[in-house]
Amino acid sequence: MADFDLPARNRRLLLVRRPTGVPGPRHFAMEDAPRPVAGPGQILVRNLYLSIDPAQRGWVADAASYVASVPLGSVMRSLGLGIVLNSNEARIAEGEFVYGWLGWQDYAAITFDQVLTSVAEPRLPLAAYASVLGISGMTAHLALEQLGRPKTGEAVLVSAAAGAVGSIVAQLARRMGCRVVGLAGSDEKAARCVARYGCDVAIDYHLRDLESALRVATPNGIDIFFDNTGGEILDLALRHMAPFGRIIQCGTVAVPVWSPPPIGPRNEREMLTRRLSWSGFLIFDHIARCEETVEFLVERVLTGELVYDVEIDNGLEQAPSALVKLYQGVTLGKKLIFVGRG
Amino acid sequence: MADFDLPARNRRLLLVRRPTGVPGPRHFAMEDAPRPVAGPGQILVRNLYLSIDPAQRGWVADAASYVASVPLGSVMRSLGLGIVLNSNEARIAEGEFVYGWLGWQDYAAITFDQVLTSVAEPRLPLAAYASVLGISGMTAHLALEQLGRPKTGEAVLVSAAAGAVGSIVAQLARRMGCRVVGLAGSDEKAARCVARYGCDVAIDYHLRDLESALRVATPNGIDIFFDNTGGEILDLALRHMAPFGRIIQCGTVAVPVWSPPPIGPRNEREMLTRRLSWSGFLIFDHIARCEETVEFLVERVLTGELVYDVEIDNGLEQAPSALVKLYQGVTLGKKLIFVGRG
């Protein structure tokens, strides 16, 4: 497939400054490099959709967490969906679509272990493979199932409920017979959570008396809190959990900077007296279940049980500002970059 | 059995003032009342050992937590061991020993549902039934098993490791093949944790550089933190957990006052990036397993695998100050009151 008319240059967005909080355009620089070739055991991928993820803040932070920080001067780490142009890897054919560690660039020469899922015959539009069928949808399904363990009639609170993960969580929880309350960053988003994502109630978290609204929405307390935000929303929800409630920590987008360590109310007494269980979830621990999870989600989208939204910015050069917008809470659904040349 | 020479009066310690923090002598008053009689379905118990528990602070606090607050003017709520003098309850015979909700008084007329365990032929000295075989030992065993799920070779950190719960946790974890690190309030206590309670290492938490000591003691991080204290010890340990570590919140004795809410570092990022699981444990959710747990613990004490210590203050009137001492951290092992008349 290598002989058609493709750009011979590879634009690469390099991390050039290390941010203390959310990274933005000034932390990256565009570099022009030759198109890479697939080495032994590698595939050459033309990148199509890049996944803009809140986790990317952690990947460029000074302190390594669950993975090493992206080194200064190297291509920004990113998941994405692309098409295989050349393959020196027996398990992946040319022409297949792969979802994996492509990076902020036009082309990626990667190995099999950098591929999360691959598909020869897509059953949904390509952007789905980088959103509802990517880490956002997988996280929603696996974290809810493994850590939430929802039972019919339970009250589920979802923060960032109009977001890429939250919108899927809300729909899955509703399908499992739960009463779902969404928190979102505007009236418009809250309305969408009810109209489109299956929330029984949704609340704009900027509301002056969020506590009362939460009490009205979950009069018997919250059984499961699927938290994508952390911060004051977490402080409040934790104090409104039902006994034996489960908190799933999936993101911390509401806390802009982690160094120096921000403070909040102590939670150990609530944890004990309410017998709560609070767990962190990271999809990368569950890669073995990717294929099966994609199957589960594809079926539900095809039957119409599950809807998803993507918001696509055009052009690789938009990636840094897309990440800023994600943290500003102005995104609806999953934020993607289409890797075109404008 | 009712006709032998027993005092005809019942001394009762009433809660007369509601404390904001740890209750002490000024919050209680002694009342002299007639010895109660066992009504229909009741047993009359002569109280022998009263259990002094950190949880009693919560039971007298203004805000109800998992149980209603002790009403002002009523007998202080307490577990204890006593002997049955009269029984109008078919399931409990006169002469049996019962462990249950006796209260701070000489006699208790109670019903079957206020009894946690009963024993006709004690296999260990009576004080054991209010300590290692009471809620302290039960908590240690069940919380470690259910929430800790220790595996051979894992690192277990125990706070208040010389205390009634911690000393049992340390021994059980060691027997399960874990490396056990104890935190205690003095060098003397720390030495006891190693010499007597099976800790591989024990550290006085007053140490100036506790963080370094913890890092040396658990170079690969903490897999299980059995926390009886909360506060700054928790803040530190949480940041030294290994990935997938489990935190068991069993007590909060290091935080003297909960109103107004004390603050500490935010933990949501640590919970997420380390994929921790933090759970509250309350023994009263596990009453159905009391008898089986007592059997498990009795056997281990009889074989010499498990040792326990009690510190007994003489006289009902000592109960309030015993509770103060418990919170001052000057107790070794389980604090009990022997209900004698000096």
Side-chain angles (χ1 to χ4, degrees), chain B residues 61-254:
Chain B
D62 201 18
S65 56
Y66 55 92
V67 284
S69 300
V70 175
L72 283 179
S74 66
V75 175
M76 177 58 189
R77 184 182 297 152
S78 173
L79 285 165
L81 181 88
I83 184 164
V84 179
L85 300 183
N86 273 304
S87 176
N88 296 324
E89 158 60 68
R91 289 165 287 188
I92 297 181
E94 289 172 7
E96 278 190 48
F97 296 93
V98 292
Y99 174 69
W101 296 104
L102 304 183
W104 281 1
Q105 54 189 345
D106 290 311
Y107 298 96
I110 61 174
T111 53
F112 187 73
D113 64 334
Q114 292 171 286
V115 174
L116 273 66
T117 58
S118 64
V119 58
E121 301 285 353
R123 299 171 71 196
L124 292 177
L126 291 184
Y129 286 84
S131 58
V132 64
L133 307 180
I135 60 167
S136 305
M138 290 184 206
T139 294
H141 172 57
L142 292 175
L144 187 64
E145 174 197 272
Q146 294 187 10
L147 300 177
R149 304 178 299 278
K151 291 191 276 289
T152 305
E154 286 193 323
V156 177
L157 180 72
V158 187
S159 60
V165 174
S167 61
I168 308 297
V169 169
Q171 294 175 77
L172 294 176
R174 177 66 175 267
R175 282 270 162 191
M176 294 168 99
C178 296
R179 175 176 164 79
V180 182
V181 178
L183 296 175
S186 69
D187 271 350
E188 182 203 352
K189 284 187 181 184
R192 193 180 184 90
C193 289
V194 173
R196 190 163 161 80
Y197 302 138
C199 288
D200 293 271
V201 180
I203 306 167
D204 175 358
Y205 63 75
H206 297 106
L207 205 66
R208 184 191 301 261
D209 196 356
L210 182 56
E211 187 169 2
S212 297
L214 203 54
R215 197 174 295 123
V216 169
T218 59
N220 300 316
I222 302 158
D223 297 296
I224 300 173
F225 177 32
F226 198 112
D227 186 21
N228 298 301
T229 60
E232 289 175 18
I233 289 173
L234 171 68
D235 303 340
L236 185 62
L238 197 140
R239 280 153 186 77
H240 199 57
M241 297 298 289
F244 309 103
R246 289 84 75 195
I247 301 171
I248 304 166
Q249 199 68 50
C250 219
T252 62
V253 288

Side-chain angles (χ1 to χ4, degrees), chain A residues 71-217:
Chain A
L72 282 179
S74 66
V75 176
M76 177 59 188
R77 185 182 296 153
S78 173
L79 285 165
L81 181 88
I83 184 164
V84 179
L85 300 184
N86 272 305
S87 177
N88 295 325
E89 158 60 68
R91 289 165 287 188
I92 298 181
E94 289 172 7
E96 278 190 48
F97 296 93
V98 293
Y99 174 70
W101 296 103
L102 304 183
W104 281 0
Q105 53 189 344
D106 290 310
Y107 299 95
I110 60 173
T111 51
F112 187 73
D113 63 335
Q114 291 170 287
V115 175
L116 273 65
T117 59
S118 64
V119 59
E121 301 285 353
R123 299 172 70 196
L124 292 177
L126 291 183
Y129 286 84
S131 57
V132 63
L133 307 180
I135 60 167
S136 305
M138 291 185 206
T139 295
H141 172 57
L142 292 175
L144 188 64
E145 174 197 273
Q146 294 187 10
L147 299 177
R149 304 179 300 278
K151 292 190 276 288
T152 306
E154 286 193 322
V156 177
L157 181 72
V158 186
S159 60
V165 175
S167 61
I168 308 297
V169 169
Q171 295 175 76
L172 294 176
R174 177 66 175 267
R175 282 270 161 192
M176 294 169 100
C178 296
R179 176 177 165 77
V180 182
V181 179
L183 295 175
S186 69
D187 270 350
E188 182 202 353
K189 284 188 182 184
R192 193 179 184 86
C193 289
V194 172
R196 190 162 162 79
Y197 302 138
C199 288
D200 293 271
V201 180
I203 306 168
D204 175 359
Y205 64 74
H206 297 106
L207 205 66
R208 185 192 300 262
D209 196 358
L210 182 56
E211 186 168 3
S212 297
L214 203 54
R215 197 174 294 124
V216 169

Side-chain angles (χ1 to χ4, degrees), chain B residues 268-286:
Chain B
E268 48 266 48
R269 184 168 185 272
E270 298 293 335
M271 294 301 299
L272 171 54
T273 58
R274 295 178 195 265
R275 293 86 99 199
L276 304 180
S277 179
W278 182 5
S279 307
F281 184 89
L282 199 61
I283 188 64
F284 305 114
D285 299 323
H286 305 272

Side-chain angles (χ1 to χ4, degrees), chain A residues 277-288:
Chain A
S277 179
W278 182 5
S279 306
F281 184 88
L282 198 61
I283 189 63
F284 305 114
D285 299 322
H286 306 270
I287 294 306

